[in-house]
């Protein structure tokens, strides 16, 4: 009875997570050898000191056997896009973890290292993620012996090369294979059709060549397929029509290389498709029946027809009254084509009733369409028109899109005064809905006007224009403004005091202008409620004078302060204080004298 009670007690403790598992000494030693070969500048392995390795960061053990089952050490990005990672080499001591099922070393920096052959000895491995970690060389053919592997991600290593080993065709349990954004070449091996359980396949962004791999049409469980950015030639095979479970399809080749067979109807069989992207299909513009087939796909939510040389004539040849996309279509990419006429907009409004996102960047659009366009686009939230030839007066066409939140008209042909451009744009209801507006890289003149009429605006980018003069002292920003960029203009003077009253402002970039105010005055003008929200302040390449103010600690959220290439002078003394969250302070190319121990400031950039 006592023995039975003891057994029941142990089982209950294990099932409730109360049993204290200590890792096996041999496996703890193997992990310490792995750590010794690692360069850990960011303390990712700082917890690897205690006796119980099962409680170390990134380690998980079996509650029953104490074997290490999981090693999870991906690099990470913080909110300022700074990456925390490990580097060095992957030690062969990992071979001493015979029960390891999960290995994730993604987003680290094993620069120029080869993927270790000994990983093939981890026979229990089900999950292997080496995404974006700097590996070079070829894929070890030995990985084909990992018979339990379900997930393999080697994407974005860039220097991985050679061909795909045909031995990977032995991974019969594989569900997920991602080899995108590397330098693989040759043809796709025919053995890939042996991966009968494969649901996700991404081979994009490599240098695969030859005929389109028709064997992929035998992967009946496939749900996601991306083959873009390679050099496949010839026709897209009709075997793809067998993939009835496919919901996401990206196809494309090098320009003028990949074609569709106009007599095949295989696309109409893919009734599960929700995402379809066709890029650089050389003869698409001569095959109107294909667009009609696409329009009839019942579940299609996102469609991309990118760099297919589509023109106004091609689309306008379809009578809108007899041609309508599925009501499920909400995202449409027509980037990189040859559209020129504004009549494209009413055509779209008559054939796509529920669009939420529309991308027409990298076309040749110019001129304005009727204001009625906005009345029919009653769900559009994002419109991308960058890299076209639109003028400021053409913005009137979009003033009645009452749902529009984000508009990108950067790199167009706007040469008017900013006041007149915004006046053209503010006559309709869009001024109440718009949250993000980019007018960067035009030739816009004038200075910053009153923006208070755009009551919802959070992000405004006016960088790389021809704005000049002083920013008016009484200029009013929208009260929800979060990011304002005026980079690379010819603005003079300083920062108006009104900027300091924006309680949501967390990023202000006035770099590459002609500001000349004293730095202490600039901080005084920002000392309203914005001092509590401001996270990034960039004033590089101006003519700002003075020294760092002693009020910096009053900006508790400040993480990045960029003051390089100005006329700052004076001395940085030992008693200067900084915000506790400050991560980057750039003072390069100034005339400051330093009397502080630089070793305690890992974020200080002087030159």
């Amino acid at each position: 009875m006592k023995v039975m009670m003891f057994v029941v007690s142990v089982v209950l403790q294990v099932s409730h997570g109360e049993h204290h598992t200590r890792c096996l000494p041999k496996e703890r030693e193997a992990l310490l050898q792995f750590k010794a070969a690692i360069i850990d500048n960011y303390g990712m392995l700082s917890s690897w000191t205690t006796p119980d390795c099962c409680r170390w960061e990134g380690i998980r053990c079996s509650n029953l056997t104490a074997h290490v089952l999981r090693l999870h050490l991906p690099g990470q990005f913080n909110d300022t896009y700074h990456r925390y990672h490990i580097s060095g080499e992957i030690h062969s001591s990992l071979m001493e973890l015979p029960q390891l099922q999960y290995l994730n070393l993604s987003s680290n920096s094993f620069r120029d290292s080869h993927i270790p052959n000994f990983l093939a000895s981890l026979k229990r491995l089900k999950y292997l993620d080496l995404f974006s970690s700097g590996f070079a060389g070829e894929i070890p053919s030995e990985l084909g012996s990992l018979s339990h592997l379900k997930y393999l991600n080697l994407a974005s290593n860039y220097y991985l090369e050679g061909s795909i080993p045909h031995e990977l065709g032995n991974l019969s349990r594989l569900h997920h294979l991602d080899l995108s954004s590397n330098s693989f070449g040759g043809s796709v091996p025919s053995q890939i059709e042996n991966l009968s359980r494969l649901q996700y396949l991404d081979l994009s962004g490599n240098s695969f060549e030859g005929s389109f791999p028709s064997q992929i049409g035998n992967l009946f469980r496939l749900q996601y397929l991306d083959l873009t950015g390679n050099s496949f030639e010839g026709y897209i095979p009709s075997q793809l029509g067998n993939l009835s479970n496919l919901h996401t399809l990206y196809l494309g080749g090098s320009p003028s290389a990949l074609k569709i067979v106009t007599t095949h109807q295989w696309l109409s069989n893919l009734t599960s498709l929700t995402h379809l992207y066709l890029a650089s299909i050389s003869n698409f513009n001569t095959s109107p029946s294909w667009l009609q087939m696409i329009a009839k796909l019942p579940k299609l939510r996102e469609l991309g027809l990118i760099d297919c040389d589509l023109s106004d004539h091609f689309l306008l040849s379809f009578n809108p009254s007899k041609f309508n996309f599925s009501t499920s279509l909400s995202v449409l990419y027509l980037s990189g084509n040859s559209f020129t006429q504004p009549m494209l907009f009413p055509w779209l409004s008559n054939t796509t009733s529920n669009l939420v996102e529309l991308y027409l960047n990298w076309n040749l659009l110019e001129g304005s369409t009727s204001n009625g366009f906005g009345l029919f686009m009653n769900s559009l939230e994002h419109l991308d028109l960058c890299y076209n030839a639109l003028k400021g007066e053409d913005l009137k066409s979009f003033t009645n899109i009452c749902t529009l939140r984000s508009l990108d008209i950067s790199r167009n042909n706007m040469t008017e005064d900013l006041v007149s451009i915004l006046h053209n744009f503010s006559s309709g209801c869009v001024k109440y809905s718009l949250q993000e507006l980019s007018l960067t890289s035009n030739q816009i003149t004038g200075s910053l006007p009153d923006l208070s009429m755009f009551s919802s605006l959070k992000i405004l980018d006016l960088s790389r224009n021809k704005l000049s003069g002083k920013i008016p002292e009484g200029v009013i920003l929208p009260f929800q403004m979060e990011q304002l960029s005026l980079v690379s203009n010819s603005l003079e003077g300083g920062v108006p005091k009104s900027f300091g009253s924006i309680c949501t402002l967390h990023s202000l970039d006035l770099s590459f202008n002609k500001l000349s105010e004293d730095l202490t005055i600039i901080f005084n003008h920002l000392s309203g409620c914005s001092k509590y929200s401001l996270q990034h302040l960039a004033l590089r390449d101006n003519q700002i004078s003075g020294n760092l103010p002693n009020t910096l600690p009053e900006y508790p959220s400040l993480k990045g302060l960029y003051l390089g290439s100005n006329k700052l002078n004076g001395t940085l003394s030992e008693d200067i204080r900084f915000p506790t969250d400050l991560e980057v302070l750039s003072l390069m190319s100034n005339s400051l004298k330093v009397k502080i121990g630089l070793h305690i400031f890992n974020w200080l950039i002087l030159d």
Side-chain angles (χ1 to χ4, degrees), residues 5-53:
M5 291 179 65
F6 173 77
V7 171
V8 171
S9 174
V10 170
V11 171
L12 288 174
Q13 288 177 359
V14 171
S15 64
H16 288 82
E18 297 173 2
H19 182 63
H20 179 56
T21 303
R22 296 179 66 87
C23 68
L24 303 176
K26 185 177 182 181
E27 296 191 7
R28 182 181 187 275
E29 179 59 30
L31 289 171
L32 289 177
Q33 291 181 46
F34 169 82
K35 177 184 178 182
I38 290 295
I39 300 172
D40 183 20
N41 292 329
Y42 300 98
M44 292 175 61
L45 308 181
S46 59
S47 65
W48 288 31
T49 56
T50 60
D52 186 5
C53 70

Side-chain angles (χ1 to χ4, degrees), residues 271-275 294-303 324-332 351-356 379:
T271 55
S272 296
L273 270 185
T274 59
H275 296 68
I294 291 172
K296 293 178 181 179
L297 292 172
K299 298 181 180 179
L300 195 64
R301 296 201 305 267
E302 297 191 12
L303 171 63
N324 280 288
F325 286 96
S326 167
T327 56
S328 62
L329 187 66
S330 61
V331 179
L332 178 59
T351 58
T352 57
S353 57
N354 295 317
L355 276 188
V356 176
S379 58

Side-chain angles (χ1 to χ4, degrees), residues 72-90:
H72 181 74
L73 292 172
Q76 298 178 0
F77 289 86
N78 64 9
D79 56 2
T80 58
Y81 302 102
H82 184 78
R83 184 160 67 108
Y84 295 89
H85 61 270
I86 56 176
S87 56
E89 67 171 289
I90 302 175

Side-chain angles (χ1 to χ4, degrees), residues 355-573:
L355 276 188
V356 176
E357 300 180 26
L358 175 58
Y359 297 83
L360 288 164
N361 48 311
W362 289 98
N363 277 280
L364 303 168
L365 291 168
E366 59 181 341
S368 60
T369 184
S370 66
N371 290 344
F373 166 69
L375 299 176
F376 293 99
M377 305 301 288
N378 52 18
S379 58
L380 193 65
E381 297 181 4
H382 177 81
L383 179 57
D384 189 341
L385 296 167
C386 69
Y387 287 101
N388 279 284
L390 297 169
K391 296 181 178 296
E393 61 186 22
D394 300 331
L395 295 181
K396 292 179 181 179
S397 306
F398 314 115
T399 58
N400 290 318
I401 308 178
C402 301
T403 54
L404 195 63
R405 296 183 180 181
S406 173
L407 177 62
D408 189 346
I409 319 184
S410 56
R411 296 171 175 83
N412 272 268
N413 195 26
M414 299 187 192
T415 59
E416 300 95 329
D417 182 90
L418 182 58
V419 173
S420 63
I421 289 175
L422 295 181
H423 176 74
N424 288 334
F425 195 48
S426 63
S427 59
C429 56
V430 70
K431 67 182 178 183
Y432 303 115
S433 64
L434 199 63
Q435 297 181 9
E436 301 180 21
L437 175 60
S438 177
L439 297 170
T440 184
S441 299
N442 282 281
Q443 302 290 319
I444 300 171
T445 60
S447 188
L448 193 68
D450 181 5
L451 297 168
S452 59
M453 74 286 290
F454 296 97
S455 55
S456 298
L457 196 62
K458 295 181 179 180
I459 300 174
L460 177 60
D461 191 346
L462 291 165
S463 57
R464 290 180 288 281
N465 278 287
K466 293 186 175 181
L467 302 180
S468 60
K470 292 184 178 181
I471 302 175
E473 188 60 40
V475 67
I476 301 176
L477 299 180
F479 72 97
Q480 297 188 69
M481 181 70 75
E482 295 177 359
Q483 299 177 33
L484 176 61
S485 177
L486 298 168
V487 176
S488 295
N489 283 281
S490 298
L491 295 169
E492 302 173 358
V495 177
K497 188 177 293 185
S498 58
F499 283 16
S501 63
I502 307 302
C503 305
T504 55
L505 189 65
H506 62 70
S507 177
L508 178 60
D509 197 339
L510 293 164
S511 303
F512 297 94
N513 278 282
K514 299 178 181 179
L515 303 182
S516 58
E517 203 164 49
D518 186 275
L519 185 60
T520 300
I521 296 176
I522 290 176
F523 272 93
N524 285 343
H525 285 178
L526 292 172
S527 63
C529 62
S530 65
K531 72 179 179 182
Y532 301 108
S533 61
L534 198 60
Q535 298 178 16
H536 301 280
L537 177 60
L539 301 169
R540 291 170 293 191
D541 284 85
N542 281 283
Q543 300 170 28
I544 297 170
S545 58
N547 197 354
L548 288 182
N550 55 15
T551 57
L552 282 179
E554 297 177 8
Y555 294 77
S557 301
L558 198 61
K559 296 180 179 180
L561 179 57
Y562 304 88
L563 301 170
S565 299
N566 277 286
K567 295 184 177 181
L568 300 181
N569 51 45
T571 301
L572 295 182
S573 60

Side-chain angles (χ1 to χ4, degrees), residues 33-199:
Q33 291 181 46
F34 169 82
K35 177 184 178 182
I38 290 295
I39 300 172
D40 183 20
N41 292 329
Y42 300 98
M44 292 175 61
L45 308 181
S46 59
S47 65
W48 288 31
T49 56
T50 60
D52 186 5
C53 70
C54 293
R55 297 194 173 193
W56 291 352
E57 182 72 26
I59 303 296
R60 193 179 77 185
C61 301
S62 167
N63 286 335
L64 294 176
T65 67
H67 280 295
V68 174
L69 302 178
R70 179 184 177 101
L71 179 55
H72 181 74
L73 292 172
Q76 298 178 0
F77 289 86
N78 64 9
D79 56 2
T80 58
Y81 302 102
H82 184 78
R83 184 160 67 108
Y84 295 89
H85 61 270
I86 56 176
S87 56
E89 67 171 289
I90 302 175
H91 198 273
S92 59
S93 61
L94 291 185
M95 297 169 62
E96 303 300 323
L97 307 177
Q99 300 297 315
L100 192 67
Q101 299 179 14
Y102 177 104
L103 177 59
N104 187 342
L105 298 174
S106 62
S107 298
N108 286 301
S109 184
F110 301 105
R111 183 64 62 191
D112 299 327
S113 297
H114 288 205
I115 297 174
N117 293 358
F118 63 75
L119 294 181
S121 66
L122 302 173
K123 298 301 183 183
R124 299 277 183 174
L125 207 60
K126 297 179 180 179
Y127 185 105
L128 177 57
D129 192 344
L130 301 177
F131 165 82
S132 188
S133 286
F135 289 105
E138 300 185 356
I139 300 176
S141 60
E142 292 86 349
L143 294 185
S145 66
L146 294 173
S147 58
H148 289 84
L149 202 63
K150 295 182 178 181
Y151 182 101
L152 178 59
N153 188 349
L154 304 178
S156 299
N157 281 287
Y158 306 114
Y159 301 107
L160 284 177
E161 57 186 5
S163 58
I164 300 177
H166 65 81
E167 288 85 355
L168 292 191
N170 298 330
L171 302 177
S172 59
R173 299 187 183 185
L174 203 63
H175 290 178
H176 183 111
L177 177 59
D178 193 344
L179 302 178
S180 60
S181 300
N182 286 295
S183 299
F184 298 125
S187 59
V188 176
S190 60
Q191 289 83 359
I192 199 167
E193 68 179 344
N194 297 333
L195 305 179
S196 58
R197 299 187 185 183
L198 203 62
Q199 299 176 13

Side-chain angles (χ1 to χ4, degrees), residues 206-222:
N206 283 285
S207 299
F208 294 117
E209 57 189 7
S211 299
F212 195 94
S214 59
Q215 301 91 342
I216 290 174
N218 296 325
L219 302 176
F220 302 114
R221 298 188 184 184
L222 208 59

